[in-house]
Structure formats: structure tokens, C-alpha cells
Amino acid sequence: MEAHTKMNDVQSTIVTVIEQLLERSNKSDIQVSLDSPIHGDGLGLDSLETAELSAILEDEFGTDPFGAGLMPETVAEIADYYIEGDGSNASVPA
Amino acid sequence: MTTSIGSGSPRTVIVTGGSRGLGAGIVQSFLDSGDRVATCSRSETQAVKEWETNPDYAGRFLFRAADIADREQSTQFVQAVIDEWGAIDVLVNNAGVARDGILALFTDEDSDTVIDLNLKATIHLTRQVVRNMLAHRSGRIVNISSIVGLTGYRGLTVYGATKAALDGFTRALARELGSRKITVNSVAPGYLKTEMSHGLDEAQLDQIVRRTPAGRLGDPDDIARAIQFLVDERNDWLTGQVLVVDGGLTC
Ligand SMILES: NC(=O)c1ccc[n+]([C@@H]2O[C@H](COP(=O)([O-])OP(=O)(O)OC[C@H]3O[C@@H](n4cnc5c(N)ncnc54)[C@H](OP(=O)(O)O)[C@@H]3O)[C@@H](O)[C@H]2O)c1
């Protein structure tokens, strides 16, 4: 698989996961893009929503950047964790 | 998303330390209510073998030999349950150990054993399960503490400290998870007829019975019924509490 195709898959999976999370939190009016900051004025996730995101990512990919002690600040930084290989055996579910 | 608590469909229940004593009574209770039950203990018992081979429980009983005071084994146990059944609906933190002896003669080793299991192992395992419950936004957690954490009992200082700490854990976690439809409560049993109370001599047991309004020691079933009540789907407004089930001993 070409590197950029894989990158898009990972990024779009993460964007979908976050959109679903926001929908559950009745915040579906918020637009999710790669450069959206996760907290504050961006997606505005609180600590519990961040924990949910961490758990859902772990379910999806087997590992997650928050659990690994990293504190990604944007959606792109979450994706980078998987793309750059920190998420060692991460693969996108078919 | 799973919303399987109650409403007739089987729930996925984890009971730690279900091979004997109170834990075995809790496992049986959830098997009887038609749920899927996963349990662990360091060694397998006859009760476990019978559950594993009983055709009535086929596909809804899972046992793993695991020492949950070992974080790796604890993680593997919870992962095995998630791999098998996905979403966890109910967690009963039952595994616990008591070492008796007055503090002045207590060894550090015994303190570690009691704190490592009753407190640290419970916290580690709960954290993993909470992550799963957050992902599906529902769940019921019951921590088995003890009246000894509420009243104090000579010779059980460290044990009592861990049980009082568990009740604090219950209250704080209930606050953290309340908005996610996850309830957290403690059940504080009085003295039960299990191996754990074998540390007490005949005279002590007689005295306990005499002071108990209900006039007897407790059965695992007395506690299991209280747990079933706390994890009932309808009881989503009951959280952060310590329910004392002791025949009235401490009232
Ligand atoms: N009995 C009472 O009167 C009483 C009163 C109040 C509260 N409680 C509480 O009720 C709970 C159960 O007590 P019980 O009387 O049923 O005790 P028990 O008869 O000693 O049973 C303890 C169970 O936990 C398991 N266990 C012990 N250490 C473990 C470990 N490191 N990892 C995994 N499993 C472990 C045991 O199996 P293995 O040994 O094979 O691991 C067994 O299945 C405890 O939390 C206790 O504090 C009991």
C-alpha cells in the first residue's frame, strides 16, 4: 500500500471516530478537520471525552497516543502517532 | 453501542476472585440470571471446572487463571474478556485478602500483600474496564469492601484501611463517571461463612452472631442479591454509595 493512501485511511478513520464521539456528546455542529485543536476553542473535548477518545482509539487500533503518555494537541498529531509508526502494530480495520 | 444491561438480554459480567467463597456465590448468581460471566483466580477449583463443563453455561462462562496483583496478568485477563465478548457491562471487584494480627507485630510483607491486591490490583483492573465502559457509555461497578472499613476491627488495621480506601475510590469514581451512565457503588458485607472468616475462632464467631440482629452469619447469596439490585438497569440513580449488608450488626 502506498504511503499516502495509508495516511489518508488512518486520518479519515480518526476523523470519523471523533465525529461519532462529538455526536454522542451533542456537539455534532463542530467541524472536524486535521488541524482542529482537540481541546479549548477547537473540538473542546473535556478530560472525560479525551479518555473516551483514548479508549475508542485503543479499541480500533490496539494502541493509542494518550495511553502511550503522549499529549497530541490536534487531530493531525493523533494520526501522526499511527503514521509515524509509534503505534507499532496499528493497522486500519478493513 | 451496547445497551445490554438488564432488559432481558444477557450482560457481560466480570467477577474477580470467583473460584470460591463470596466470589463463587456472585458468579453463580449471574449465571442464574442468564448473564455471561468471566472470572479469574490464581488457581482453578472444582466449582470452576463444573461451570466450565455445564452445558447450561456453554458460551457464557469464562475462566482464566490469573494473579490480578500482577498487572500484566490482570491486563491479559480483561483483554481476554473483551476479545471474547466485546463490551463489559458489569464489574464486581471481589478478589481480596485479609491478614490478621495487631499492627505492632505486622510485617511489611503482609501489608504489601493486602494493599497490592485489595487496592492496587482493584484500581488497575477497574481502570481497564472503565475505559471499555466509557467507549460504550454504560456500565455498573460494584466494589466489595467490608464493615471492617467502616467500624474498625482489632487485628485488621491494614485490611480495614484498604476497605475504607475502596469506599473512597467508589465515591470519587462515581463522580467521574456519573455523566456517562456508569454507576459505582460499594457493598460492605458483614461476617460471612467463607474461608476468610476462618481466621476467627469459635468464641469470636459466637459473639458476632449474638450481636447481629438477624441472628446469623451471612451467606454469599445475601451479598449477591444486593449486588444484583445495584447493577439493575433501572437503578441508574443510585451511585457513589456504600450499601452495608451485615444482618444489622453495625446499625
Ligand atoms: N468473608 C467475609 O466474612 C467477608 C466480609 C466482608 C468482606 N469480605 C470481602 O469479600 C471478598 C471475598 O472474600 P471471601 O471471603 O470470599 O475470600 P476467599 O474465600 O479467601 O476467596 C477469595 C477469592 O479471591 C481469589 N484471589 C485471591 N487472591 C487473588 C489474586 N491475587 N488474584 C486473583 N484472585 C485472587 C481467590 O482465589 P485464589 O486464592 O486461587 O487466587 C478466591 O477465589 C473480599 O474482598 C473480602 O475482603 C469478606
Side-chain angles (χ1 to χ4, degrees):
Chain A
M1 195 192 284
E2 264 178 72
H4 77 269
T5 329
K6 182 181 163 200
M7 193 170 94
N8 287 337
D9 278 355
V10 171
Q11 289 175 333
S12 65
T13 303
I14 289 165
V15 168
T16 308
V17 161
I18 294 174
E19 281 170 351
Q20 286 167 350
L21 180 73
L22 290 170
E23 204 179 308
R24 283 199 322 196
S25 295
N26 297 323
K27 292 191 199 166
S28 39
D29 48 323
I30 297 176
Q31 287 297 314
V32 185
S33 66
L34 282 177
D35 54 9
S36 306
I38 301 167
H39 307 288
D41 289 343
L43 307 179
L45 298 192
D46 63 17
S47 57
L48 207 48
E49 287 159 344
T50 309
E52 289 177 324
L53 177 58
S54 159
I56 295 167
L57 288 171
E58 189 190 355
D59 273 357
E60 198 90 2
F61 296 103
T63 164
D64 81 279
F66 304 95
L70 304 174
M71 285 299 147
E73 283 171 11
T74 62
V75 176
E77 282 176 33
I78 297 176
D80 287 349
Y81 170 77
Y82 297 103
I83 294 158
E84 285 165 10
D86 292 311
S88 46
N89 47 18
S91 62
V92 179
Chain B
M1 205 187 298
T2 317
T3 46
S4 63
I5 293 184
S7 57
S9 53
R11 301 166 287 192
T12 293
V13 181
I14 290 184
V15 179
T16 62
S19 64
R20 56 188 159 82
L22 174 57
I26 300 168
V27 167
Q28 187 64 60
S29 166
F30 282 103
L31 287 172
D32 291 346
S33 53
D35 298 300
R36 289 180 288 259
V37 186
T39 192
C40 65
S41 62
R42 289 163 305 172
S43 49
E44 196 166 348
T45 56
Q46 193 54 37
V48 170
K49 288 193 187 110
E50 281 166 21
W51 287 321
E52 278 176 330
T53 52
N54 188 329
D56 290 350
Y57 309 142
R60 60 187 188 92
F61 176 74
L62 182 151
F63 173 82
R64 287 284 182 284
D67 177 352
I68 60 164
D70 178 315
R71 292 199 170 118
E72 206 165 304
Q73 291 183 40
S74 161
T75 303
Q76 281 169 5
F77 166 62
V78 175
Q79 195 54 52
V81 181
I82 294 172
D83 290 347
E84 191 76 20
W85 292 321
I88 299 164
D89 299 305
V90 176
L91 167 64
V92 182
N93 283 311
N94 163 80
V97 63
R99 290 273 192 276
D100 63 333
I102 62 165
L103 188 68
L105 296 173
F106 215 66
T107 66
D108 287 336
E109 210 176 27
D110 278 347
S111 293
D112 287 345
T113 302
V114 173
I115 294 169
D116 284 350
L117 179 61
N118 297 7
L119 212 46
K120 291 164 78 176
T122 302
I123 291 169
H124 177 77
L125 194 139
T126 304
R127 193 189 59 191
Q128 297 173 79
V129 172
V130 160
R131 288 174 61 82
N132 177 277
M133 289 177 171
L134 279 173
H136 63 91
R137 284 203 182 173
S138 69
R140 295 278 181 270
I141 299 173
V142 176
N143 295 317
I144 305 300
S145 62
S146 169
I147 53 168
V148 169
L150 298 164
T151 60
Y153 197 91
R154 184 184 181 280
L156 289 174
T157 52
V158 180
Y159 176 79
T162 62
K163 294 304 188 177
L166 263 191
D167 291 343
F169 181 64
T170 291
R171 288 185 284 266
L173 194 59
R175 284 194 180 271
E176 280 187 13
L177 302 176
S179 66
R180 297 302 191 263
K181 299 197 178 76
I182 302 169
T183 69
V184 189
N185 291 287
S186 285
V187 168
Y191 297 91
L192 308 175
K193 286 175 248 160
T194 68
E195 273 172 50
M196 188 173 275
S197 43
H198 291 178
L200 300 169
D201 62 34
E202 206 56 35
Q204 283 170 309
L205 288 174
D206 278 352
Q207 191 190 46
I208 290 166
V209 170
R210 262 185 283 115
R211 289 183 182 171
T212 302
R216 62 171 175 86
L217 295 177
D219 278 323
D221 253 359
D222 293 316
I223 309 305
R225 282 191 302 275
I227 296 169
Q228 289 278 5
F229 166 73
L230 290 173
V231 307
D232 189 298
E233 175 192 31
R234 292 164 295 176
N235 286 328
D236 59 357
W237 215 54
L238 204 183
T239 192
Q241 303 305 309
V242 179
L243 178 57
V244 178
V245 186
D246 68 349
L249 179 64
T250 59
C251 72

